[in-house]
Amino acid sequence: ILVTNLDFHDEQKRRNLNGTLHELLRMNIVPIINTNDAVVPPPEPNSDLQGVNVISVKDNDSLAARLAVEMKTDLLIVLSDVEGLFDSPPGSDDAKLIDIFYPGDQQSVTFGTKSRVGMGGMEAKVKAALWALQGGTSVVIANGTHPKISGHVITDIVEGKKVGTFFSEVKPAGPTVEQQGEMARAGGRTLSALQPEQRAEIIYRLADLLTDQREEILLANKKDLEEAENKGRLALPLLKRLSLSTSKLNSLAIGLRQIAASSQDSVGRVIRRTRIAKDLDLEQVTVPIGVLLVIFESRPDCLPQVSALAIASGNGLLLKGGKEATHSNQILHHLTQEALSIHGIKDAVQLVNTREEVEDLCRLDKLIDLIIPRGSSQLVRNIQKAAKGIPVMGHSEGICHVYVDTDASVEKVTRIIRDSKCEYPAACNALETLLIHRDLLRTPLFDQIIDMLRVEQVKIHAGPKFASYLTFSPSEVKSLRTEYGDLECCIEVVDSVQEAVEHIHKYGSSHTDVIITENEKTAEFFLQHVDSACVFWNASTRFSDGYRFGLGAEVGISTSRIHARGPVGIEGLLTTKWLLRGDNHVVSDFSEPGSMKYLHESLPLPQRNSN
C-alpha cells in the first residue's frame, strides 16, 4: 500500500486508509505500507513531530510512527542495524545500551552519524518513537539483523523478552537492574579494599541486627506466610522453607559470626611465591570473583547468609528472591545495607525488586561474573540454559545415595537412613535412593529398615533388581535417576560395593553419597572411588551443608568440577591474580645471549593469621 502525507491529513483519505488496513487484517493479510515517492510532496521544513496530530512522513521511521498512532496500535517495533538506543554512538568505548528510555531523557543521549542503511539515523527513530508514545503506542527499537535471543526478534519482543530499547512514559522510582549491577561492582571493589577486620565488623553488625530486630523480621515473615497460605500456591515443604523463627534467626546469627571469624585471612592471601630471577618476585594472591548474582526461592534466610559470604570475600552482590518472600527479603536486605553503612558501602549488596525475568538477568554478562542458583532442580536447569556467557555454579539435581553394606551396624543403619530421608525431605542433600547389599534381603536388618520407612510414611519405589526378588513389590521406578524431594525413595539391590559405586556413577548427580559399614577397608574403597562432591562413611547425607562443615554458611552446593565443589563458603567465592615485582626487567635479557637466568625458586609464604 502506497501512501503520502495527504492520506493522513485529509479526513476522508484517513478513513479510507483505516478501513483498507483493518479489512486486510481481518482477512489475515499483512499489509506492507510504503511512501509513494513518485508523488509525495517534499516535507515541510521543521514541521514534523510538532504535536500529536501532525507528522511529516519523510522516512520509514516517521511513516511507521504515523501509522501506529493512526491505527491505535498496541506496539510499534522499529528495527535497526544496532541492538537499540545507546547513550553514545554504538562502537564507542563507553557506549551503553539503554534498556528503557523515558521522554525527557534525550539530553542524556549523544547521537552519532546516520545509519549505514536507510535515510534516518537513530535520532530520527527516537523522535518518531517518542511521537508514537505520546499518541498512545508502546515502542521498542531493536536489532533486526542479528537477533541475540532466540533468533526471532519480533516474537521475542511480543513475548515480553528483554530485547532492544523499550520506550515508556512511566519512570520507576528505583534504579534499573543495570544500574544496580554497576553499583554492586563499585561497592564490591570498595569492599575488597577494606581491611579484613572492617569486613568482619560489618558481618558481626549484621549478626547483631538479626537478633536485635527479631520482632520486625518475624512480623514481615508472617505477612509472607499469610499471603502464601491465602493464595494456596506453596506446597508444605516450600512453606516450611519460607518460615522464619527465633531459633532460625539465632542459628543464622551464630553462622554469620563464624563467617566473620574465619574471614580475617581470605582476600589478599598469598598462596604461592616464586623468585623468577634476581630481584624479580612473583606472588599469587586471592581476590574476589567480582559481582555475584544469587537467585533463590522461598528461603529468606538465604539472604543474610549469602550477603555475609559476599562481604567476607569482597564480592559485589545482586540478589533476586522469590516474590513469595518479598516482605522478609526487603527487611533482611535493609538490615544488610544498614550493616554495610558503618563503612559507607551499602550499595555493595543489591536486591533486585524490578519485574525482571530471570532469563533477562542471565544475559547481563558485562555486569555479572558468576550466577549462583538456590532452589529447585528445575530453577537451576532453567538458569543454566538461560545463562549466555556467564558461569553458573550449582547443582541441577540432588540424587543422593545411601549404600548399606553387609558389615553395617544394626544400630547405625535405621538412624542414618531416617535422618537422611526424613529430617528434611525437600533438601537437596536428602536421601533419594537406598542401595542394599543382596545378602541383607530377608534379614531382620532389612525388615527393620522397611518398618522404619513405613512408620515415617515414606513411599517406597522398587528398583528393577529389587522388584525381581519380590513376589509382591512396591511400584517399580520409572527412572533410577529421580529426585523425589518428598517422603519417597527408591530401594535397589546391589551385589557388592563395586556395584554400588558403579550404580552411583551411572544414576547419581555427584552431590552426596554415603556408605554404612563397619568394614574399614570397604569404607575406604567407597570413599576413594565414589566421584561425588561429598562422600561420607557412617554419617547422614544431611551433613552436606556449609554451616555443618564449619563454613558459617554456604552460597550453595556445587557439583561442577571447575573451581568450587561441595558446600561453597568464602574460599569458593575467591579467585586469584598474579603480582610480579621487578626492577627494570625485560624478557630479552633472558634470551640466549642475554645476561639473566631464570631461577624459579619457591619462596616461603607469609605467616597466616592464626586467629
Side-chain angles (χ1 to χ4, degrees):
I1 298 176
L2 295 177
V3 296
T4 69
N5 276 319
L6 292 175
D7 290 302
F8 299 109
H9 297 167
D10 181 279
E11 190 62 34
Q12 183 58 48
K13 288 181 180 293
R14 283 174 65 189
R15 282 199 295 269
N16 288 344
L17 175 60
N18 220 304
T20 302
L21 294 177
H22 277 111
E23 183 63 18
L24 287 169
L25 290 170
R26 191 187 66 78
M27 297 166 66
N28 286 331
I29 295 172
V30 179
I32 297 174
I33 300 96
N34 206 346
T35 51
N36 192 342
D37 298 326
V39 297
V40 67
E44 298 172 32
N46 303 318
S47 70
D48 54 312
L49 311 168
Q50 301 299 314
V52 174
N53 295 320
V54 181
I55 183 169
S56 176
V57 175
K58 62 180 182 180
D59 56 30
N60 283 334
D61 303 322
S62 52
L63 170 62
R66 189 67 184 88
L67 273 165
V69 173
E70 184 68 30
M71 297 291 291
K72 296 183 171 55
T73 306
D74 292 322
L75 175 67
L76 167 62
I77 300 174
V78 181
L79 297 180
S80 174
D81 60 345
V82 291
E83 297 297 331
L85 175 61
F86 288 78
D87 60 358
S88 56
S92 58
D93 288 342
D94 298 322
K96 291 179 183 173
L97 179 67
I98 299 171
D99 292 285
I100 306 178
F101 188 75
Y102 309 95
D105 279 355
Q106 291 96 314
Q107 67 276 8
S108 65
V109 177
T110 304
F111 293 101
T113 56
K114 289 188 176 182
S115 170
R116 298 186 301 276
V117 291
M119 293 174 61
M122 186 56 75
E123 189 170 10
K125 286 178 170 54
V126 171
K127 285 182 177 179
L130 291 171
W131 190 89
L133 185 68
Q134 190 181 356
T137 294
S138 299
V139 185
V140 174
I141 296 180
N143 190 338
T145 58
H146 298 292
K148 65 176 182 178
I149 298 182
S150 69
H152 305 286
V153 66
I154 294 173
T155 51
D156 281 341
I157 293 169
V158 170
E159 288 168 6
K161 293 178 180 176
K162 198 168 185 178
V163 182
T165 301
F166 178 71
F167 284 69
S168 171
E169 290 188 298
V170 183
K171 198 163 189 172
T176 65
V177 71
E178 289 77 15
Q179 290 168 332
Q180 286 186 295
E182 289 168 358
M183 289 156 70
R185 172 84 66 196
R189 284 173 176 159
T190 305
L191 183 65
S192 66
L194 293 179
Q195 293 300 313
E197 55 270 20
Q198 291 176 306
R199 287 192 294 271
E201 187 184 356
I202 294 169
I203 301 167
Y204 280 126
R205 176 66 182 140
L206 178 55
D208 291 340
L209 287 169
L210 289 178
T211 50
D212 294 347
Q213 305 293 321
R214 177 175 57 245
E215 298 304 322
E216 290 86 344
I217 296 169
L218 294 179
L219 193 63
N221 185 243
K222 186 181 177 186
K223 284 184 189 175
D224 288 327
L225 287 168
E226 286 173 353
E227 288 179 13
E229 286 168 356
N230 291 338
K231 290 174 183 174
R233 290 179 184 169
L234 288 186
L236 196 60
L238 290 178
L239 275 173
K240 189 176 177 183
R241 286 187 180 189
L242 178 59
S243 174
L244 293 174
S245 63
T246 300
S247 62
K248 263 191 182 180
L249 292 175
N250 289 338
S251 295
L252 271 175
I254 293 168
L256 262 58
R257 292 187 181 102
Q258 282 183 359
I259 293 170
S262 64
S263 68
Q264 300 286 335
D265 193 26
S266 54
V267 180
R269 176 166 54 87
V270 180
I271 59 175
R272 184 195 303 255
R273 292 181 67 222
T274 305
R275 178 150 293 156
I276 302 295
K278 186 175 183 298
D279 296 326
L280 185 63
D281 289 352
L282 178 69
E283 285 183 345
Q284 187 181 17
V285 300
T286 57
V287 293
I289 287 173
V291 175
L292 314 175
L293 167 62
V294 178
I295 301 167
F296 57 102
E297 294 176 322
S298 300
R299 289 183 53 178
D301 52 329
C302 176
L303 193 151
Q305 289 179 331
V306 170
S307 297
L309 288 168
I311 293 164
S313 55
N315 286 287
L317 179 61
L318 283 175
L319 293 156
K320 174 70 171 172
K323 57 181 178 289
E324 68 279 353
T326 297
H327 299 100
S328 307
N329 289 338
Q330 283 175 346
I331 188 168
L332 291 169
H333 177 247
H334 172 73
L335 296 177
T336 303
Q337 290 200 311
E338 185 178 328
L340 284 160
S341 295
I342 64 177
H343 288 294
I345 45 170
K346 71 173 189 175
D347 287 347
V349 176
Q350 298 284 326
L351 180 63
V352 178
N353 286 315
T354 56
R355 294 173 64 90
E356 215 78 29
E357 293 297 326
V358 168
E359 276 189 10
D360 297 328
L361 291 171
C362 289
R363 281 189 279 272
L364 299 175
D365 57 309
K366 290 184 174 61
L367 296 172
I368 296 164
D369 299 295
L370 178 66
I371 301 173
I372 305 172
R374 293 283 303 266
S376 67
S377 57
Q378 189 59 51
L379 171 78
V380 180
R381 277 194 295 270
N382 290 345
I383 290 170
Q384 288 171 333
K385 186 178 179 182
K388 299 286 191 282
I390 308 176
V392 178
M393 182 165 69
H395 61 279
S396 57
E397 293 173 305
I399 304 173
C400 303
H401 296 77
V402 171
Y403 165 58
V404 183
D405 185 53
T406 49
D407 296 318
S409 161
V410 175
E411 290 75 26
K412 295 174 185 176
V413 168
T414 51
R415 269 174 53 84
I416 292 172
I417 294 172
R418 180 190 288 109
D419 192 78
S420 296
K421 180 69 258 184
C422 309
E423 201 265 342
Y424 193 176
C428 64
N429 57 11
L431 160 68
E432 303 295 6
T433 298
L434 179 61
L435 299 176
I436 297 179
H437 194 285
R438 181 184 57 183
D439 293 348
L440 294 176
L441 290 178
R442 299 185 181 89
T443 65
L445 175 57
F446 177 78
D447 294 339
Q448 284 180 27
I449 294 170
I450 299 300
D451 289 344
M452 180 274 294
L453 292 173
R454 283 177 178 155
V455 168
E456 297 292 338
Q457 298 182 322
V458 177
K459 183 178 180 181
I460 298 171
H461 302 275
K465 285 184 72 174
F466 181 44
S468 70
Y469 283 102
L470 304 172
T471 308
F472 301 100
S473 72
S475 60
E476 189 171 334
V477 290
K478 294 177 182 175
S479 170
L480 288 165
R481 197 178 282 114
T482 301
E483 182 178 13
Y484 298 99
D486 206 343
L487 286 172
E488 295 182 59
C489 76
C490 168
I491 296 179
E492 183 57 310
V493 173
V494 291
D495 291 341
S496 64
V497 65
Q498 290 94 334
E499 192 177 320
V501 171
E502 289 166 8
H503 180 103
I504 290 167
H505 288 165
K506 185 172 183 179
Y507 299 109
S509 60
S510 301
H511 192 296
T512 301
D513 299 291
V514 170
I515 182 171
I516 306 176
T517 184
E518 296 304 298
N519 187 314
E520 185 176 348
K521 186 178 177 182
T522 304
E524 287 301 325
F525 179 90
F526 188 89
L527 294 173
Q528 297 304 319
H529 286 81
V530 171
D531 188 15
S532 296
C534 301
V535 190
F536 302 160
W537 173 21
N538 287 349
S540 167
T541 59
R542 297 278 291 118
F543 278 105
S544 181
D545 174 85
Y547 175 73
R548 294 173 188 131
F549 276 17
L551 306 178
E554 64 184 42
V555 293
I557 295 178
S558 171
T559 55
S560 68
R561 296 170 188 279
I562 296 174
H563 191 55
R565 201 172 181 208
V568 180
I570 299 171
E571 295 290 327
L573 300 181
L574 297 170
T575 184
T576 64
K577 70 178 180 183
W578 298 89
L579 305 177
L580 184 64
R581 296 178 176 90
D583 183 16
N584 197 31
H585 288 80
V586 293
V587 167
S588 57
D589 285 344
F590 293 84
S591 59
E592 195 62 44
S595 59
M596 300 286 290
K597 289 192 182 310
Y598 288 112
L599 300 175
H600 294 146
E601 293 175 1
S602 293
L603 298 176
L605 297 179
Q607 290 296 310
R608 293 186 63 175
N609 183 348
S610 60
N611 293 327

